[in-house]
Amino acid sequence: MTETIVRPPRLEERGSFYQVYDTGVPNVDQLTFDGFSRWWNRSKVQGDLPTLWRVAVVKDKIVGVAINAVLDSLRWGAIWELVVDQEWRNKGIGTSLVQESERALLKRNPNLTHFVVGVKMHNPRAIPFIERLGYGIQSLVLRLDGDAIATLPERNLDVNIARLDDISTLLHLIPDTYWGHRDHNMLEFSIRGGNCYVMRERSSNTVVGFVRLEYDQEHEDSTVITFSYKPGYGVEVVDAAIEEVATKKAIFWVQDRHEDILDHFYAEGFKKAEAEFVARKRVRNIL
Ligand SMILES: CC(C)(COP(=O)(O)OP(=O)(O)OC[C@H]1O[C@@H](n2cnc3c(N)ncnc32)[C@H](O)[C@@H]1OP(=O)(O)O)[C@@H](O)C(=O)NCCC(=O)NCCS
């Protein structure tokens, strides 16, 4: 059997890491080299590159990559991206990368309760692979794209720029996706980055929503919107969010448990652009 070493990437390996990463498209997120480099640099600064990113190396050549992240507020370790170069598949390298990623995640936060992997819906081949490694599919996250046309005839919500003082209230809201789960640091990071809004019900002055708008270079003329809401106010919050969008298109990621919000998006003409199964495994089942 070919000897494979799994280790953190070296700083000079950014280009070769990206080359292997790119062979995983369309089963991983498509990123330009610039977009990838921003992620790499941010991870370098935050210290995630040596602790959470991994490469599988055969005879000094990178043949597989994994990008991992800890979602501290959920106590989940996420295997965010996983790719083995086509020529090197079915040799056990993907399995080693998952196992080493789990170890790295647990080392970073020994209190994790679950590991999580996202598998694109159009990638059924990867499902038996992760199931064999002890993961089980638990939900679906959908990316919905549509025209950013304001729909509210009359506004019940007041929309204001989010302030750091709002954070303690915002922590009680429900996020759109598992990775949007809020913790104090994440909210502070988002609010300092700008384009974040807090929504209050006008009649009661209660905080009912929080949205963040991102003008992503990967999606031209589109705004990616993440949101969280107080139960019962989801539809009003997404409608108010669309009013803040300055581009032609809006992109939302929504988990399947938010049925009323999904129903509303489909009725407004939004279409599923892609979807991802969320597979989880309890940490105590670590191999
Ligand atoms: C999914 C992916 C990462 C798997 O990587 P891999 O290196 O082929 O994974 P492994 O070799 O460990 O396992 C693949 C299969 O080979 C078999 N296998 C494992 N070790 C083996 C070995 N030494 N010799 C031969 N076959 C082996 C396994 O039984 C497994 O079968 P299964 O998928 O039905 O469970 C790879 O196919 C890939 O990069 N795909 C594109 C990107 C992608 O789908 N990413 C999302 C992953 S969730």
Side-chain angles (χ1 to χ4, degrees), residues 7-12 14 17 36 39-55 66-68 108:
R7 58 159 173 79
R10 299 188 180 124
L11 290 183
E12 66 275 15
R14 184 176 53 169
F17 190 112
F36 169 79
W39 193 3
W40 172 284
N41 289 337
R42 195 169 65 236
S43 301
K44 188 171 83 179
V45 171
Q46 290 171 342
D48 292 348
L49 214 54
T51 53
L52 292 176
W53 290 42
R54 289 293 177 265
V55 288
I67 304 178
N68 305 304
R108 172 69 173 267

Side-chain angles (χ1 to χ4, degrees), residues 69-78 80 109 111-114 170-173 175 177-187 257 280:
V70 171
L71 308 176
D72 284 308
S73 57
L74 288 171
R75 293 171 64 197
W76 292 4
W80 218 246
N109 181 346
N111 295 319
L112 293 181
T113 62
H114 291 82
L170 301 178
L171 283 169
H172 299 291
L173 303 176
T177 55
Y178 69 90
W179 63 77
H181 200 86
R182 309 286 177 213
D183 66 28
H184 198 285
N185 291 342
M186 266 174 71
L187 277 164
R257 65 198 161 116
R280 281 202 311 166

Side-chain angles (χ1 to χ4, degrees), residues 247-282:
T247 54
K248 264 202 210 137
K249 301 261 173 214
I251 297 176
F252 290 85
W253 283 89
V254 187
Q255 207 145 351
D256 58 2
R257 65 198 161 116
H258 305 305
E259 284 177 4
D260 52 339
I261 299 174
L262 289 171
D263 186 58
H264 178 69
F265 276 128
Y266 289 129
E268 293 296 327
F270 275 73
K271 297 269 184 289
K272 172 179 73 61
E274 58 176 290
E276 200 167 286
F277 292 112
V278 181
R280 281 202 311 166
K281 149 170 154 180
R282 281 209 193 157

Side-chain angles (χ1 to χ4, degrees), residues 27 86 89-91 119-132 277:
N27 296 327
Q86 208 128 17
R89 289 182 192 165
N90 298 316
K91 294 179 187 344
V119 184
K120 304 260 185 240
M121 202 167 75
H122 60 245
N123 184 17
R125 178 67 195 82
I127 291 172
F129 167 74
I130 52 145
E131 284 177 340
R132 185 174 49 77
F277 292 112

Side-chain angles (χ1 to χ4, degrees), residues 11-287:
L11 290 183
E12 66 275 15
E13 289 175 333
R14 184 176 53 169
S16 38
F17 190 112
Y18 177 72
Q19 263 177 11
V20 175
Y21 176 81
D22 211 32
T23 66
V25 175
N27 296 327
V28 292
D29 291 331
Q30 185 145 26
L31 283 176
T32 59
F33 184 61
D34 281 354
F36 169 79
S37 296
R38 280 195 296 277
W39 193 3
W40 172 284
N41 289 337
R42 195 169 65 236
S43 301
K44 188 171 83 179
V45 171
Q46 290 171 342
D48 292 348
L49 214 54
T51 53
L52 292 176
W53 290 42
R54 289 293 177 265
V55 288
V57 179
V58 177
K59 292 186 187 150
D60 284 340
K61 181 179 157 47
I62 295 181
V63 297
V65 298
I67 304 178
N68 305 304
V70 171
L71 308 176
D72 284 308
S73 57
L74 288 171
R75 293 171 64 197
W76 292 4
I79 300 177
W80 218 246
E81 304 280 14
L82 173 71
V83 180
V84 172
D85 192 330
Q86 208 128 17
E87 284 176 36
W88 291 90
R89 289 182 192 165
N90 298 316
K91 294 179 187 344
I93 295 171
T95 301
S96 303
L97 273 169
V98 169
Q99 289 169 341
E100 289 303 320
S101 295
E102 290 172 350
R103 283 196 194 100
L105 287 161
L106 207 51
K107 195 165 172 204
R108 172 69 173 267
N109 181 346
N111 295 319
L112 293 181
T113 62
H114 291 82
F115 299 116
V116 60
V117 180
V119 184
K120 304 260 185 240
M121 202 167 75
H122 60 245
N123 184 17
R125 178 67 195 82
I127 291 172
F129 167 74
I130 52 145
E131 284 177 340
R132 185 174 49 77
L133 292 168
Y135 289 78
I137 290 176
Q138 297 192 344
S139 60
L140 191 65
V141 187
L142 299 114
R143 184 185 131 190
L144 298 174
D145 292 15
D147 294 329
I149 300 166
T151 51
L152 266 192
E154 148 196 356
R155 268 209 182 187
N156 297 320
L157 305 185
D158 282 330
V159 181
N160 294 106
I161 300 216
R163 295 174 312 138
L164 295 177
D165 289 353
D166 295 317
I167 293 177
S168 55
T169 321
L170 301 178
L171 283 169
H172 299 291
L173 303 176
I174 297 173
D176 51 346
T177 55
Y178 69 90
W179 63 77
H181 200 86
R182 309 286 177 213
D183 66 28
H184 198 285
N185 291 342
M186 266 174 71
L187 277 164
E188 185 175 334
F189 179 77
S190 298
I191 292 172
R192 285 194 192 281
N195 288 322
C196 290
Y197 300 90
V198 171
M199 283 138 187
R200 287 185 177 76
E201 186 179 46
R202 186 165 298 149
S203 54
S204 62
N205 204 33
T206 312
V207 170
V208 296
F210 172 73
V211 300
R212 179 182 182 202
L213 311 185
E214 276 176 279
Y215 303 100
D216 193 335
Q217 291 175 1
E218 312 286 332
H219 305 290
E220 220 174 292
D221 208 18
S222 296
T223 302
V224 182
I225 301 141
T226 30
F227 63 96
S228 47
Y229 63 96
K230 184 177 156 80
Y233 292 86
V235 169
E236 276 183 81
V237 167
V238 296
D239 275 347
I242 289 172
E243 287 201 1
E244 302 303 319
V245 169
T247 54
K248 264 202 210 137
K249 301 261 173 214
I251 297 176
F252 290 85
W253 283 89
V254 187
Q255 207 145 351
D256 58 2
R257 65 198 161 116
H258 305 305
E259 284 177 4
D260 52 339
I261 299 174
L262 289 171
D263 186 58
H264 178 69
F265 276 128
Y266 289 129
E268 293 296 327
F270 275 73
K271 297 269 184 289
K272 172 179 73 61
E274 58 176 290
E276 200 167 286
F277 292 112
V278 181
R280 281 202 311 166
K281 149 170 154 180
R282 281 209 193 157
V283 164
R284 66 176 168 77
N285 293 342
I286 190 166
L287 296 169

